[in-house]
């Protein structure tokens, strides 16, 4: 049967791959990319903390581990098969143990190639050009070699307990796809609940209120069940960085984060009968934003709204200021591929109904203008060279006094007035009267801010002439759940269901 599995027709292989690519997590098992793309490795060590050895084999399409044999060593290293050098072989044999016994005569190792077992030893003229080998860490001793001719990748499953890889402790098993050119990818294949226990302490943190942790657990679980952004390119469901969700195994988990996962076990967020896109960010700065205004496509449950909760707690680095000189901003834009000359002006040219930035316009010394919208409004400022970035979608440029963006935004409408002259105000007692010339204040979710009536905008920090001073609040893309907003709600006694229903619109949880 194993030989048959590895020699299926191209048509059946194609259909099987299409079936896998149509899903994210399979049977409650998540495949997490730990090393891939530019982070591919030439060798990958494992150390079993339970000193129980490993099973070697592969994961099938249902993510069941198919064991081919066992290795008693507790510290092993996976390398490209070509690293073993030239070999000779005998076989095929009926089992892993038979091949291992035959190989031992010549100081060799068992191999599984094309669905059959062989004994291999150094010598001869053949090379394992496409195989992956398991060796004893710290030596050249080969323990096993695997080549299923592209249908399956080598899988390694610890015989008991968590296993260390690159300084982190992981539950579950591992897969090692061979990469053209001689490298290896490393994937962690782990049960959904153990995966979420690994995400939670990195995305929110040990010591946060239980309701906030529970909300984050449901979000993380839903995201892992939905996303498949890396499946077609690399063959795994989610990566382990902020591009997906931060995941570094389970060694950072604690009793409170584990309890939050257990309390919400299996629960996900749903919208109109389908799993929801539960995107989240650190803090929204006063208002979340609709997905269509950030990423261009409307999503029914990702609707922006004013956030009255964040302002009730202290949030680290909640406000930020970053300054660009004209030459810096010009360099950043041009090196990002934008066609513009030396920048002389930059301003927020349109805001959304919740007051977040929707469009930013840049003008060069020739009068040529460039307008960007959505999340590009903040990403356009990103520069590793200068170590500068705009942290959220809620900011102003030079107090919004530049270009045509001066004025006041009224009642979250996205429209502005150029002056408060002739405007009407509402006092604290509810009295409506014409503006009398006293200093006006704007009310936000985080307090009040004096307005500068000479320029039509709130006061901006002083800067060198011609510089662009960007001030803002929040951290992230502003769409979906605010993690610090969830913390604030939890501290006010709201449940995880209350939190999720506030930040996501018209959802169900279950």
């Amino acid at each position: 049967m194993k030989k048959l599995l590895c020699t299926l027709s191209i048509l059946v292989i194609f259909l099987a791959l299409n079936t896998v690519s149509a899903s994210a997590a399979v049977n409650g098992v998540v495949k997490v990319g730990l090393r891939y793309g530019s982070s591919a490795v030439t060798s990958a060590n494992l150390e079993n903390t339970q000193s129980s050895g490993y099973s070697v084999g592969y994961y099938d399409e249902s993510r069941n581990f198919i064991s081919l044999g066992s290795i008693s060593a507790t510290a092993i290293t996976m390398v490209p098969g070509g690293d073993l050098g030239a070999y000779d072989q005998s076989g095929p044999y009926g089992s892993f143990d038979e091949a291992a016994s035959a190989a031992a005569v010549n100081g060799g190792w068992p191999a599984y190639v094309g669905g059959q077992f062989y004994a291999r030893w150094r010598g001869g003229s053949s090379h394992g050009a496409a195989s992956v080998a398991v060796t004893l860490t710290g030596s050249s001793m080969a323990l096993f070699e695997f080549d299923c001719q592209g249908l399956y990748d080598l899988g390694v499953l610890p015989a008991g307990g968590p296993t260390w890889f690159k300084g982190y402790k992981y539950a579950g098993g591992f897969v090692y796809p061979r990469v053209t050119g001689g490298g290896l990818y490393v994937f962690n294949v782990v049960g959904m609940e153990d995966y979420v226990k690994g995400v939670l302490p990195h995305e929110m943190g040990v010591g946060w209120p239980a309701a906030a942790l529970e909300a984050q657990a449901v979000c993380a679980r839903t995201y892992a069940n939905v996303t498949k952004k890396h499946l077609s390119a690399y063959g795994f469901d989610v990566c382990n960085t902020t591009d997906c969700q931060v995941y570094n195994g389970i060694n950072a988990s604690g009793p409170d984060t584990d309890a939050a996962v257990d309390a919400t076990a299996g629960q996900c967020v749903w919208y109109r009968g389908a799993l929801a896109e539960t995107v989240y960010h650190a803090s929204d700065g006063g208002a979340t934003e609709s997905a269509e205004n950030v990423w261009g496509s409307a999503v029914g449950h990702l609707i922006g709204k004013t956030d009255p909760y964040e302002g009730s707690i202290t949030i680290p680095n909640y406000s930020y200021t970053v300054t660009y000189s004209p030459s810096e901003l010009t360099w950043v834009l041009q090196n990002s591929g934008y066609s513009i000359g030396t920048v002389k002006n930059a301003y927020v040219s349109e805001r959304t109904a919740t007051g977040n930035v929707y469009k930013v316009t840049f003008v060069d010394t020739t009068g040529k203008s460039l307008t960007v919208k959505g999340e590009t409004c903040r990403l356009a400022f990103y520069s590793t060279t200068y170590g500068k970035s705009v942290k959220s979608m809620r900011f102003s440029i030079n107090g919004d006094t530049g270009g045509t963006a001066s004025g006041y935004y009224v009642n979250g409408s996205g429209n502005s007035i150029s002056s408060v002259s002739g405007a009407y105000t509402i006092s604290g007692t509810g009295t409506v009267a014409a503006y009398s010339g006293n200093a006006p204040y704007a009310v936000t979710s985080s307090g009040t801010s004096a307005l500068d009536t000479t320029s039509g905008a709130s006061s901006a920090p002083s800067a060198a002439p011609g510089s662009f001073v960007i001030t803002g609040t929040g951290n992230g893309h502003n769409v979906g759940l605010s993690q610090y907003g969830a913390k604030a709600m939890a501290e006010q006694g709201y449940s995880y269901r209350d939190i999720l229903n506030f930040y996501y619109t018209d959802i169900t949880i279950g």
Side-chain angles (χ1 to χ4, degrees):
M1 174 61 89
K2 291 172 182 172
K3 179 178 180 180
L4 176 62
L5 284 173
C6 284
T7 55
L8 293 172
S9 69
I10 294 176
L11 175 61
V12 176
I13 293 172
F14 177 77
L15 291 174
L17 290 175
N18 275 353
T19 300
V20 172
S21 65
S23 310
V26 177
N27 292 334
V29 177
V30 187
K31 191 180 288 187
V32 188
L34 304 181
R35 296 291 187 276
Y36 61 95
S38 61
S39 67
V41 296
T42 56
S43 65
N45 300 347
L46 286 182
E47 183 177 358
N48 190 327
T49 60
Q50 301 299 314
S51 300
S52 302
Y54 305 87
S55 291
V56 290
Y58 60 89
Y59 285 87
D60 65 15
E61 290 85 351
S62 298
R63 298 191 180 170
N64 298 310
F65 184 77
I66 308 301
S67 178
L68 300 174
S70 298
I71 293 174
S72 60
T74 58
I76 59 175
T77 301
M78 275 52 66
V79 298
D83 289 6
L84 301 181
Y87 66 85
D88 203 348
Q89 71 175 28
S90 63
Y93 296 91
S95 69
F96 177 95
D97 291 338
E98 289 179 16
S101 296
V105 175
N106 295 300
W109 61 92
Y112 185 73
V113 181
Q116 298 191 89
F117 292 98
Y118 294 88
R120 286 184 172 178
W121 57 91
R122 287 184 170 87
S125 58
S126 299
H127 291 78
S131 65
V132 178
V134 182
T135 64
L136 183 66
T137 298
S139 78
S140 60
M141 180 185 294
L143 304 175
F144 179 62
E145 190 174 359
F146 180 92
D147 182 2
C148 213
Q149 300 175 343
L151 183 57
Y152 297 111
D153 299 308
L154 170 67
V156 176
L157 183 66
T163 300
W164 290 90
F165 169 68
K166 296 291 186 182
Y168 294 101
K169 186 169 61 178
Y170 294 89
F174 299 84
V175 172
Y176 300 91
R178 178 72 182 272
V179 183
T180 301
L184 299 175
Y185 291 166
V186 183
F187 304 159
N188 182 208
V189 184
V190 61
M192 178 64 74
E193 300 308 305
D194 281 332
Y195 166 75
V196 179
K197 287 179 180 180
V199 169
L200 213 52
H202 295 288
E203 283 290 357
M204 188 162 277
V206 174
W208 279 44
L213 292 172
E214 289 164 359
Q216 180 69 68
V218 176
C219 286
R221 186 182 297 110
T222 306
Y223 182 87
N225 273 295
V226 170
T227 189
K228 45 191 175 184
K229 62 191 297 184
H230 295 292
L231 197 58
S232 61
Y234 296 109
F236 60 83
D237 304 321
V238 291
C239 61
N240 64 339
T241 70
T242 54
D243 185 43
C244 298
Q245 299 183 125
V246 177
Y247 170 76
N248 289 314
I250 59 174
N251 48 319
S253 62
D256 51 355
T257 55
D258 284 357
V261 177
D262 293 337
T264 61
Q267 293 184 25
C268 291
V269 178
W270 300 80
Y271 176 71
R272 295 185 177 179
L275 287 166
E277 296 180 51
T278 50
V279 293
Y280 51 87
H281 54 282
S283 59
D284 55 46
T288 62
E289 192 49 66
S290 298
E292 62 187 306
N293 293 331
V294 178
W295 298 316
S297 298
V299 180
H301 61 282
L302 298 178
I303 306 299
K305 61 181 66 176
T306 300
D307 186 341
Y309 301 106
E310 281 192 353
S312 68
I313 63 173
T314 299
I315 300 175
N317 303 312
Y318 190 59
S319 300
Y320 60 90
T321 299
V322 60
T323 302
Y324 295 82
S325 68
S327 61
E328 287 177 336
L329 189 52
T330 299
W331 189 93
V332 170
L333 292 173
Q334 291 178 347
N335 279 271
S336 295
Y338 294 106
S339 177
I340 193 168
T342 301
V343 178
K344 72 171 184 179
N345 200 2
Y347 56 91
V348 176
S349 48
E350 187 174 342
R351 292 186 182 272
T352 68
T354 56
N356 292 317
V357 174
Y358 181 59
K359 290 182 181 180
V360 170
T361 296
F362 305 93
V363 183
D364 67 18
T365 53
T366 69
K368 179 181 179 180
S369 66
L370 164 71
T371 297
V372 297
K373 66 180 181 179
E375 192 172 24
T376 307
C377 291
R378 73 182 184 98
L379 298 181
F381 292 94
Y382 179 78
S383 172
T384 55
T385 299
Y386 293 114
K388 296 180 178 182
S389 64
V390 172
K391 291 169 53 180
S392 71
M393 298 296 294
R394 201 166 183 82
F395 61 88
S396 64
I397 304 174
N398 290 347
D400 281 350
T401 61
T404 60
S406 61
Y408 305 98
Y409 287 87
V410 183
N411 297 335
S413 66
N415 298 316
S416 64
I417 57 175
S418 59
S419 170
V420 294
S421 177
Y424 281 77
T425 62
I426 302 176
S427 70
T429 60
T431 304
V432 178
Y435 170 62
S436 62
N438 295 322
Y441 281 78
V443 180
T444 71
S445 64
S446 57
T448 59
S449 176
L451 300 180
D452 179 0
T453 57
T454 63
S455 64
S458 56
S459 300
S462 60
S467 294
F468 304 101
V469 181
I470 300 173
T471 57
T473 52
N475 190 348
H477 49 61
N478 286 69
V479 182
L481 178 138
S482 160
Q483 292 170 311
Y484 275 101
K487 182 176 188 287
M489 291 186 69
E491 290 181 354
Q492 293 182 33
Y494 290 98
S495 70
Y496 76 94
R497 290 180 175 272
D498 296 329
I499 294 169
L500 294 172
N501 277 293
F502 174 74
Y503 285 105
Y504 302 109
T505 302
D506 296 333
I507 60 162
T508 56
I509 303 163

